[in-house]
Amino acid sequence: WPSGPKISLPVSYHEWIICQDFFRKSLVNPTICDNPDPVCHENITAPGCHVEGIWRAKNMWSPRRGHGVVASNNTIYVVGGRSREYASINELNTVGGIQDRKVESTKDHRSLREEVLLKNDVWISEDGAGKHWRLATPGCRDPQKDVLLQTEVWSRDRNDPRFPKNVGSPQAKCARSSDCYGQAECVFLEGSKSKVCVCPMFSPREHHAVTVQHSFYIDENNNTFSEDYIYVVGGFTNVRQSFCADRSCGALDGYRIAMDDAWVSNDGVSWIQFKPFSSSGGFRGRGAFAALTAHSNLKVKKPEPDKLWIFGGETANPKHNDNEYLNDVWYVNLPREPCCRANGDCQSEHHPLRSLDVGVCLPGPFDWVQSSPNTPWSGRSGHTVVHEPPLTSNKFMERVYIIGGGNGVELFSDVWSWSLTANDTWNKDFDPRQWYRVGDQSNLFFGPGESDLPPFEYGTPHQFYLTGESDISNLVRVHLPMPNRNYFVNISIPDRIPLVTDLDIEIMRSLDIHKIRDIAE
């Protein structure tokens, strides 16, 4: 993709998705996007057939890494990341020949190249299986307002240095919003002498965190109103650090900076910033960190607010040559009820979030709390977090698990757990004091490995962990019990499926292979 047997010329990624709803409205002939007649799939040259309509059914997000993925109400969201896409090259930017005059390209010649670029687009799949996708928003190619004002102001008003005079790059100059790509808007920035394209949502980025909060409230008539909020926090974006005359210049992918901003949306299209990009103080900018949303336990008399948790990550700043790997923990309280309750519009079909909601029914910019500046686990990035909510199946013992990651020198294989309680300590895996549970609904044991409680035939979990010294007979695949739609886990002993048969073990032992380390060697 995006070419194929139905066309003879390569196409750019933008051309391939041109029939998505966001772009279709601006087409001169939008009928090319109509569902094609079945004959068009066999003969695209038949009268009335347009290849764009065929492409639309196959459209999806471009190949990428460092993107965010969440599921909400049987809908999958893919957000941003570092992408690989085919893009057209302007004829003026091509080079033909190295002597005399420039060699002109042949008529109708297409020049394409594969580009690697940061994205902030949002793709949605509503079939529950990720087979069919639609573009919620293409995002922008330009930075958000506070990033521009802190990184690309190249001159200021002589009479009042508080106001910028020249902001952004020559490519960002515009006369109207239609000159900008995607959702970007053409605006004056606090006194700048010319308009520039500014992104009204988060800047293109990678290794950001995306998580979902399920908010709801029950009115006096026992009617339930629910709404999911999607949060985007931090990540790495690119900024320019060079200027030519009174404009920034150079490649936009030249310098990486870690973001500390936070955004929220209830539809994936319109985004509200509730924490600005600050570059200093308090919660530090970071990417490749772990984040989760922990919902409050409503069964207690005074439930706490929901919380958005941040664990560790990696810093990056063009002014410093080395990155720092963090092992701190932060959280921000999230109101449990949707904003439509405070705004009185839950009965309406659409109730978009507003900037006025920040600090009222949305978190405020100064609501971030540091739970721990230094945890027992090493500073890291690229790790995974898993949340075990409080349920009857675990006697309402909430747990969060930090798994793996790295620090640029080594990769970690450790696992740490914590109860999300300030006065509790982190426990390292491979530790007999680690909490675990075995048994079934009628015979449940839940507690630390070292205790005075009677032992069970299943033993403690750490005896099943594999190392290089483990015997080859311990090679098994463990199938964990699956939760149902109400997140209730059927308590049962996990199935242990052998990965090697008795005959396999006999043959390996005859070859003097007894431990897992022997297989690796």
Side-chain angles (χ1 to χ4, degrees):
W1 82 243
S3 59
K6 300 296 183 181
I7 57 176
S8 59
L9 294 175
V11 295
S12 68
Y13 179 72
H14 178 69
E15 292 169 325
W16 190 57
I17 64 172
I18 198 64
C19 283
Q20 289 295 313
D21 291 342
F22 187 94
F23 300 114
R24 181 173 180 170
K25 59 187 178 183
S26 62
L27 294 177
V28 176
N29 180 19
T31 61
I32 64 173
C33 300
D34 293 343
N35 291 328
D37 189 275
V39 70
C40 298
H41 291 273
E42 302 299 328
N43 181 15
I44 193 59
T45 61
C49 293
H50 301 282
V51 71
E52 291 83 0
I54 296 177
W55 291 340
R56 183 181 184 183
K58 299 180 179 180
N59 283 173
M60 64 180 298
W61 37 278
S62 51
R64 61 189 65 189
R65 65 183 184 186
H67 51 293
V69 182
V70 292
S72 169
N73 289 328
N74 208 39
T75 299
I76 305 173
Y77 294 81
V78 171
V79 183
R82 179 173 292 270
S83 170
R84 292 171 51 226
E85 300 176 0
Y86 286 113
S88 298
I89 303 177
N90 190 305
E91 178 69 19
L92 297 177
N93 295 333
T94 60
V95 176
I98 58 176
Q99 292 181 346
D100 301 324
R101 66 181 182 85
K102 174 183 171 69
V103 177
E104 300 293 336
S105 299
T106 59
K107 184 179 181 181
D108 297 328
H109 175 76
R110 295 293 310 282
S111 295
L112 296 178
R113 67 178 176 187
E114 189 175 36
E115 292 185 337
V116 178
L117 66 160
L118 296 186
K119 305 280 288 187
N120 60 346
D121 54 349
V122 179
W123 286 85
I124 296 177
S125 176
E126 297 165 308
D127 57 19
K131 293 182 179 180
H132 304 286
W133 296 85
R134 66 177 177 87
L135 180 66
T137 172
C140 317
R141 292 172 179 166
D142 301 282
Q144 64 200 51
K145 177 180 177 180
D146 49 11
V147 170
L148 273 174
L149 290 177
Q150 293 189 52
T151 62
E152 294 193 30
V153 175
W154 306 111
S155 64
R156 294 187 176 274
D157 191 313
R158 292 184 178 181
N159 298 322
D160 192 342
R162 294 176 302 171
F163 297 105
K165 183 179 179 181
N166 294 290
V167 183
S169 66
Q171 294 84 356
K173 294 181 65 175
C174 57
R176 59 192 66 84
S177 292
S178 58
D179 296 333
C180 307
Y181 176 81
Q183 276 194 234
E185 301 170 349
C186 187
V187 298
F188 287 106
L189 281 183
E190 301 182 5
S192 58
K193 70 176 185 179
S194 59
K195 288 184 175 181
V196 292
C197 295
V198 178
C199 192
M201 57 186 292
F202 51 90
S203 292
R205 62 188 63 195
E206 64 178 331
H207 296 301
H208 47 289
V210 184
T211 185
V212 174
Q213 178 199 16
H214 310 289
S215 63
F216 74 96
Y217 95 95
I218 302 175
D219 67 8
E220 62 277 5
N221 297 319
N222 210 31
N223 296 314
T224 300
F225 297 86
S226 62
E227 191 167 58
D228 284 359
Y229 288 172
I230 305 172
Y231 292 89
V232 171
V233 182
F236 299 121
T237 191
N238 292 327
V239 296
R240 297 181 177 92
Q241 291 289 282
S242 304
F243 67 93
C244 306
D246 59 359
R247 289 287 173 182
S248 61
C249 58
L252 183 57
D253 61 354
Y255 298 91
R256 168 186 275 196
I257 191 169
M259 303 292 293
D260 62 350
D261 57 345
W263 300 73
V264 60
S265 173
N266 59 358
D267 60 7
V269 179
S270 299
W271 293 84
I272 299 298
Q273 186 177 21
F274 65 92
K275 185 183 186 308
F277 168 63
S278 59
S279 299
S280 62
F283 177 73
R284 299 176 61 184
R286 66 194 66 199
F289 55 97
L292 63 85
T293 301
H295 295 85
S296 58
N297 182 6
L298 300 180
K299 295 185 179 296
V300 300
K301 290 184 178 180
K302 294 182 178 180
E304 294 185 355
D306 296 345
K307 285 182 170 61
L308 170 60
W309 289 90
I310 304 293
F311 304 90
E314 177 184 350
T315 66
N317 193 305
K319 298 180 181 179
H320 307 288
N321 294 326
D322 56 336
N323 298 347
E324 183 177 350
Y325 293 87
L326 307 173
N327 64 340
D328 55 351
V329 178
W330 290 77
Y331 72 86
V332 59
N333 288 326
L334 307 177
R336 291 190 304 274
E337 295 183 341
C339 284
C340 67
R341 169 76 187 280
N343 297 331
D345 62 349
C346 287
Q347 300 288 352
S348 62
E349 182 178 358
H350 301 289
H351 30 82
L353 299 177
R354 309 170 305 170
S355 298
L356 294 176
D357 295 330
V358 175
V360 180
C361 55
L362 295 175
F366 305 107
D367 292 345
W368 294 75
V369 179
Q370 188 176 51
S371 175
S372 174
N374 291 288
T375 60
W377 39 272
S378 302
R380 64 191 62 198
S381 65
H383 45 294
T384 297
V385 61
V386 177
H387 179 228
E388 182 182 10
L391 302 169
T392 55
S393 59
N394 60 13
K395 296 187 178 180
F396 298 101
M397 298 294 291
E398 188 174 22
R399 284 288 183 276
V400 64
Y401 301 87
I402 296 294
I403 305 170
N407 62 3
V409 177
E410 62 177 321
L411 296 176
F412 301 117
S413 59
D414 53 352
V415 179
W416 294 78
S417 69
W418 182 47
S419 65
L420 292 177
T421 304
N423 57 1
D424 197 8
T425 60
W426 285 85
N427 291 319
K428 187 179 181 181
D429 213 350
F430 296 93
D431 188 329
R433 293 171 297 176
Q434 179 66 280
W435 284 71
Y436 70 100
R437 65 177 180 270
V438 295
D440 53 30
Q441 193 74 34
S442 61
N443 186 22
L444 175 66
F445 170 68
F446 185 89
E450 290 182 352
S451 71
D452 296 330
L453 297 175
F456 282 76
E457 59 178 303
Y458 310 109
T460 55
H462 67 276
Q463 77 181 49
F464 297 115
Y465 298 152
L466 298 182
T467 69
E469 301 304 316
S470 299
D471 190 83
I472 56 176
S473 61
N474 290 326
L475 289 171
V476 297
R477 175 180 287 113
V478 179
H479 291 184
L480 300 178
M482 294 293 293
N484 58 25
R485 293 183 64 88
N486 296 322
Y487 300 99
F488 179 79
V489 178
N490 295 316
I491 300 175
S492 62
I493 302 302
D495 293 329
R496 299 174 59 82
I497 312 299
L499 292 176
V500 290
T501 65
D502 292 341
L503 179 59
D504 293 331
I505 294 176
E506 181 180 346
I507 294 174
M508 285 191 285
R509 294 199 191 284
S510 68
L511 298 173
D512 200 27
I513 297 175
H514 304 280
K515 300 179 179 180
I516 294 179
R517 187 182 304 280
D518 298 333
I519 299 177
E521 295 175 350

